Amino acid sequence: MSGNGSGSDVVRLSVPDMDCASCAGKVENSVRKIDGIDAIDAGVTTGTLTVEYDGETTSADEISGRVEKAGYAVEDDSSQVTVSVPDMDCASCAGKVENALDSVPGVRSYDTRPTTGKAVVTTDSSASVGDVTAAIENAGYEVTGTSEDERGESPRSSESVWRSSRAIKTWISGVFVALGLLFEFALTGQNATVVAGATAVGNADITVADVSFLLAVLVGGQAIVTNGYYSLRNRNLDIDLLMSVAILGALVVSVGFGKSLYLEAATLAFLFSVAELLERYSMDKARNSLQELMDLSPDEATVKRDGVEETVPVDEVRIGDIVVVRPGEKIPMDGTVTTGESAVNQAPITGESVPVDKSEDDEVFAGTINEGGYLEIEVTSEADDNTLSRIVAMVEDAQANKTEREQFVERFADYYTPVVLGFAVLVTVVPPLFFSEPWVKWFVYGLTLVVLSCPCAFVISTPVTVVSGITSAAKNGVLVKGGNHLEAMGEVEAVAFDKTGTLTKGELTVTDVIPLNGNTEDDVLRCARGLEARSEHPIGDAIVAEANGANVAEHEIEDFESLTGKGVRADLSGTTHYAGKPALFENLDFDLNHVHATDGSVAVAETRDLCERNDCLDLLEETVPSLQREGKTVVLIGREDELEGIVAVADEVRPEATAAIQRLRDLGIDNLVMLTGDNERTAKAIAEQVGVDEFRAGLLPEDKVEAVEELDEESGSVHEQRSWARRTSSGGVAMVGDGINDAPALATATVGVAMGAAGTDTALETADIALMGDDLSKLPYLYDLAHQANGVIRQNVWTSFAAKAALAIAVPFGLVPIWAAVLVGDAGMTTAITGNAMRLARIAPSDRLGE
């Protein structure tokens, strides 16, 4: 939300029916009942209500609700625009832009994002996009485009930073600094006086070296002082204003009091400019990781219209168009294959390392790569609404959800700068006044502290890490929809899994075919397909698919009948056959305790020597229970007078599930639970197979919610017993499901993780985190990435703070020259923090699972 320069948030609401003093009083009294309200301005003539409030205590939605409870409708006349501001690349810059936006009537809220160089601004009808861009430009920042006019430019490339006009001026300034040092310390005989003068307190002569230093300040300090002017005009106490004060202060002391501080002023101007370039370069590295996502989708598409191919911009492609994609080309739009077959590399979307075969009627995504064949694709979504576009938008929006650490650092920064500036004043004034120390010496120390008073390094430490982690995850097929979710995922103490579609594939398949009484597997499958071909049950579909894959011959089917709750009956090639539960055949008077397997080695159940043959099976006591203990559904196939075979069907466990569970346990998550609505026997079989710690079966959706709440309480109590050093969040539980059927449990969990979200709007919208492909191995990668990201944030915050504190404490002892304050305390820490954050990009799913 927008601030007002005093730490409060501001919301402006349109209340057209509030048209008299009595109405305004009623609305004000209703709103004041909310805690955290700082000020209310009811504009009767304009029908607008402006409220200043504490964003940590209440929200704009709650204020709007109180207005409606007073009997007045709140009209939503707001619009949102995203403004590209590439030069807004630090917290200080963002603060300046925010102060500028505060002065624009009609701006309801904003979200500045220095890590991407964008500001998302919400306005009412009284403010235009032009008003917003003008305010930002008046703050000293160029607007390169908006979402409304689609003129947005890509972030600066890392190479362009060093060839920018700012860089050229910096290098020229450096040359003058070098010349000044040469005359000051090496060519002292040639360091003649250029301007002679005196002041009441000392000699004011200006030498050749001083002229070089002044030229360095003039060239290198121009941008600094200009930015400082904008900061002062927008009442923003940031690094530009502080550095401007330091540089101009050094010059005033030199000229006005005859105490030569030209070298210090020149050093500040040059080194701070270098620091700014390094900061821009470091920030561009973070921005480029997101830009790589944006660049995945091609700018043009080959469209077939009226039988003729033409190349058009992707923005001109419409739903229903047929796009042509040849081998090696990127697929430009989401769509469905209408012609052709090919292997498609879906790694940019789902993170899958192996290309996926695509043929007619298969879904494909924008940004994926056609590896081999020719494809014609019918477009199913607009360019700005395809899967890749939604991913990019959600990754950008993820910065709006600030982590607990980020909020803490921002609150701390509000106190840091005033405290250090106060310390700088004391260091400058106290020793000369009370201990007769030299003024110049302690003035320089004060300037050094002014340089160290900017909190940019540790303010940027969290967002740059979050951006690195979220974009790295997106490149590996994991969409994290907020820094708060990334932080929470790294601290969870328990993970709950849905069974169907998560630990298992969610599709029934035939796992065992046991021929009996002299039949072959093909005989059993032939009869099974004939019986199940007209069945609408998923088990029947699985059996038919297996038989089709085995290419067995077909029966002539007549007189089909579904035996509800038991099975099916049909005449196959003139002979009556049955398929169904063991109980069906018991009712037909079969002796299921004494049947013969065609091949004893094929039977998975134990054999019993009940007769002269050792392939005798006891189906009721041994074979069927053995299969059922493995979580399989058993279907018997037979004629009226003889059993022909057994078919076992199961929802197969994902091949990566067991390894993923073990990897999570290796990473330190000790509480792994499976939640399912399936029966106890099947749940137990799957739980044992994948290795979860416990399972809960027979759960309805509301039961899963209750189970997640219990796990959350348990994990919270465990978390409280951990070392204080790790208490950065409340522990919690992650729920992993399909994003639709498990929506209540996903919403209840600390973090909801949806499986297979690529192309699924509901899963993308509802989950906190989405695994874009059906690959459970991404889950331990996600936890590892999030856990390491939390560690990197802690390292960045505390290292930057410790460095600043150590330098500040050392200043009065003469241990920190002003150049060290600039290079180490500002540029050095910013570069180190960004480099540390970029390490997250090295974490990959295959590396973490040891593949």
Side-chain angles (χ1 to χ4, degrees):
M1 297 296 295
S2 63
N4 66 352
S6 61
S8 295
D9 290 337
V10 175
V11 62
R12 296 180 180 90
L13 303 176
S14 175
V15 191
D17 293 336
M18 184 183 66
D19 53 10
C20 65
S22 176
C23 300
K26 200 183 306 180
V27 170
E28 288 185 24
N29 288 337
S30 180
V31 172
R32 288 193 188 280
K33 293 179 180 179
I34 306 173
D35 292 334
I37 300 299
D38 296 330
I40 302 176
D41 180 16
V44 174
T45 56
T46 59
T48 59
L49 180 73
T50 303
V51 182
E52 295 179 16
Y53 64 96
D54 182 356
E56 295 181 5
T57 305
T58 186
S59 66
D61 289 340
E62 188 174 359
I63 294 170
S64 179
R66 290 303 309 180
V67 173
E68 292 175 347
K69 285 185 178 181
Y72 295 88
V74 177
E75 288 189 357
D76 185 9
D77 60 350
S78 64
S79 61
Q80 191 176 82
V81 62
T82 300
V83 186
S84 297
V85 193
D87 290 335
M88 183 185 67
D89 53 13
C90 66
S92 172
C93 303
K96 203 180 303 181
V97 170
E98 289 171 1
N99 285 348
L101 291 173
D102 280 337
S103 65
V104 181
V107 170
R108 290 189 175 179
S109 65
Y110 50 69
D111 176 26
T112 52
R113 303 171 182 177
T115 45
T116 56
K118 294 184 178 181
V120 180
V121 185
T122 301
T123 66
D124 60 28
S125 57
S126 65
S128 66
V129 175
D131 296 332
V132 171
T133 57
I136 294 174
E137 289 173 345
N138 285 336
Y141 294 92
E142 179 187 6
V143 174
T144 61
T146 69
S147 56
E148 186 173 274
D149 60 21
E150 297 181 352
R151 290 188 296 111
E153 298 177 0
S154 300
R156 302 176 304 253
S157 67
S158 57
E159 292 78 16
S160 67
V161 170
W162 307 111
R163 297 195 300 268
S164 64
S165 60
R166 178 74 180 269
I168 294 172
K169 291 178 181 178
T170 300
W171 310 141
I172 294 173
S173 175
V175 170
F176 284 124
V177 170
L179 286 173
L181 292 172
L182 183 66
F183 281 104
E184 184 78 19
F185 299 105
L187 303 176
T188 53
Q190 284 73 42
N191 190 24
T193 298
V194 176
V195 177
T199 68
V201 293
N203 181 24
D205 290 348
I206 298 177
T207 64
V208 173
D210 294 336
V211 171
S212 294
F213 292 141
L214 282 169
L215 290 173
V217 171
L218 182 65
V219 177
Q222 176 187 350
I224 300 171
V225 175
T226 300
N227 290 334
Y229 161 74
Y230 284 117
S231 298
L232 181 62
R233 194 171 75 174
N234 286 282
R235 302 182 305 280
N236 192 59
L237 187 62
D238 64 3
I239 187 62
D240 292 316
L241 179 57
L242 295 172
M243 290 299 300
S244 298
V245 170
I247 292 171
L248 295 176
L251 293 179
V252 168
V253 170
S254 299
V255 175
F257 297 91
K259 306 295 183 182
S260 181
L261 294 180
Y262 299 109
L263 171 59
E264 284 75 7
T267 304
L268 282 174
F270 170 64
L271 292 181
F272 181 68
S273 294
V274 172
E276 287 283 278
L277 294 175
L278 286 171
E279 185 175 279
R280 288 188 179 187
Y281 173 77
S282 299
M283 188 57 65
D284 282 347
K285 290 178 66 178
R287 290 182 183 178
N288 287 340
S289 62
L290 177 59
Q291 186 64 31
E292 289 173 11
L293 281 177
M294 299 178 183
D295 292 340
L296 288 175
S297 183
D299 297 325
E300 296 180 328
T302 302
V303 182
K304 181 179 284 188
R305 292 172 177 165
D306 299 324
V308 179
E309 293 183 9
E310 58 178 311
T311 301
V312 299
V314 292
D315 291 338
E316 297 180 10
V317 180
R318 296 292 174 256
I319 294 175
D321 281 347
I322 301 297
V323 297
V324 175
V325 185
R326 293 180 169 80
E329 294 181 347
K330 290 181 179 179
I331 294 174
M333 310 285 285
D334 282 3
T336 303
V337 177
T338 59
T339 303
E341 296 182 355
S342 182
V344 174
N345 181 355
Q346 296 191 151
I349 301 296
T350 66
E352 296 169 280
S353 58
V354 178
V356 179
D357 291 332
K358 299 288 184 179
S359 58
E360 190 173 338
D361 295 330
D362 285 340
E363 185 179 22
V364 293
F365 307 115
T368 57
I369 303 167
N370 179 18
E371 296 280 357
Y374 171 89
L375 293 176
E376 290 186 7
I377 299 166
E378 181 179 352
V379 176
T380 57
S381 65
E382 300 285 355
D384 59 355
D385 192 39
N386 60 41
T387 302
L388 180 60
S389 297
R390 292 200 301 273
I391 291 173
V392 171
M394 288 179 179
V395 170
E396 288 185 304
D397 291 342
Q399 296 174 76
N401 300 322
K402 295 181 179 180
T403 70
E404 291 181 8
R405 294 183 180 89
E406 187 172 358
Q407 295 175 45
F408 164 76
V409 168
E410 289 183 352
R411 289 193 299 268
F412 175 80
D414 291 338
Y415 297 96
Y416 172 82
T417 298
V419 168
V420 177
L421 284 177
F423 184 44
V425 172
L426 292 176
V427 166
T428 303
V429 174
V430 172
L433 281 181
F434 296 97
F435 301 100
S436 301
E437 291 287 325
W439 276 99
V440 173
K441 170 185 172 182
W442 291 97
F443 182 78
V444 172
Y445 289 169
L447 292 182
T448 307
L449 285 170
V450 168
V451 172
L452 292 171
S453 66
C454 181
C456 284
F458 52 84
V459 168
I460 205 69
S461 60
T462 297
V464 74
T465 305
V466 167
V467 168
S468 176
I470 289 176
T471 53
S472 176
K475 291 174 189 175
N476 286 290
V478 179
L479 177 60
V480 183
K481 293 171 62 177
N484 53 338
H485 303 312
L486 184 71
E487 179 182 51
M489 187 65 204
E491 300 292 342
V492 296
E493 304 286 349
V495 179
F497 298 88
D498 172 51
K499 179 183 77 70
T500 305
T502 301
L503 292 175
T504 65
K505 294 180 178 179
E507 300 176 357
L508 293 177
T509 57
V510 173
T511 59
D512 302 271
V513 179
I514 304 172
L516 303 173
N517 297 317
N519 292 285
T520 65
E521 288 190 14
D522 283 355
D523 293 335
V524 176
L525 287 174
R526 184 186 182 199
C527 291
R529 179 173 62 182
L531 289 162
E532 299 289 358
R534 298 182 183 181
S535 171
E536 297 180 355
H537 197 283
I539 291 177
D541 295 339
I543 291 174
V544 171
E546 180 70 15
N548 290 340
N551 294 319
V552 299
E554 294 187 18
H555 274 295
E556 292 184 9
I557 307 169
E558 296 179 350
D559 196 20
F560 174 85
E561 180 184 2
S562 176
L563 307 174
T564 305
K566 296 180 180 180
V568 296
R569 185 196 64 79
D571 289 343
L572 304 180
S573 299
T575 303
T576 301
H577 284 72
Y578 296 87
K581 298 177 180 180
L584 171 63
F585 288 86
E586 283 189 292
N587 292 337
L588 295 173
D589 296 329
F590 277 86
D591 182 7
L592 300 182
N593 297 109
H594 187 192
V595 298
H596 293 116
T598 298
D599 183 353
S601 65
V602 175
V604 294
E606 300 173 6
T607 61
R608 293 179 61 186
D609 189 10
L610 297 180
C611 59
E612 68 278 3
R613 293 167 58 180
N614 63 7
D615 62 356
C616 181
L617 301 179
D618 184 340
L619 300 188
L620 291 180
E621 297 293 332
E622 296 170 349
T623 306
V624 172
S626 176
L627 291 168
Q628 289 176 336
R629 281 194 297 270
E630 296 174 8
K632 301 172 182 177
T633 299
V634 177
V635 179
L636 302 187
I637 311 294
R639 299 189 299 272
E640 290 182 308
D641 57 350
E642 182 182 67
L643 280 174
E644 295 178 323
I646 303 170
V647 177
V649 178
D651 182 5
E652 283 190 300
V653 171
R654 292 183 184 276
E656 74 275 11
T658 303
I661 295 294
Q662 183 57 49
R663 177 61 182 160
L664 286 171
R665 188 171 284 109
D666 294 340
L667 289 169
I669 298 182
D670 300 324
N671 195 2
L672 302 167
V673 182
M674 184 181 75
L675 308 178
T676 179
D678 215 331
N679 61 73
E680 185 90 8
R681 182 179 58 217
T682 301
K684 182 178 181 182
I686 300 299
E688 290 177 349
Q689 189 170 347
V690 300
V692 294
D693 300 312
E694 64 174 292
F695 67 91
R696 303 185 188 186
L699 302 181
L700 296 173
E702 56 267 30
D703 298 326
K704 290 186 178 181
V705 170
E706 185 177 339
V708 168
E709 290 174 343
E710 291 176 6
L711 289 170
D712 194 15
E713 292 176 4
E714 294 172 7
S715 67
S717 63
V718 170
H719 189 83
E720 288 300 320
Q721 298 170 20
R722 297 285 181 106
S723 165
W724 66 269
R726 292 194 57 195
R727 273 185 218 152
T728 52
S729 70
S730 60
V733 56
M735 174 67 193
V736 188
D738 61 13
I740 302 174
N741 297 330
D742 299 304
L746 290 171
T748 303
T750 311
V751 184
V753 182
M755 287 281 293
T760 307
D761 292 345
T762 304
L764 279 174
E765 295 298 329
T766 59
D768 299 324
I769 299 175
L771 308 183
M772 302 304 291
D774 283 330
D775 185 359
L776 202 59
S777 68
K778 298 298 175 60
L779 187 64
Y781 156 73
L782 167 63
Y783 175 77
D784 194 16
L785 176 72
H787 196 68
Q788 291 202 41
N790 286 343
V792 169
I793 290 172
R794 285 192 292 268
Q795 294 165 14
N796 284 349
V797 170
W798 294 112
T799 300
S800 58
F801 173 72
K804 288 267 190 178
L807 289 170
I809 293 172
V811 166
F813 297 96
L815 301 176
V816 181
I818 201 165
W819 62 264
V822 176
L823 286 186
V824 178
D826 191 68
M829 287 312 307
T830 300
T831 304
I833 283 168
T834 306
N836 194 34
M838 292 299 103
R839 291 192 301 112
L840 296 177
R842 302 175 187 172
I843 302 174
S846 58
D847 295 338
R848 310 321 299 176
L849 284 177
E851 296 175 0

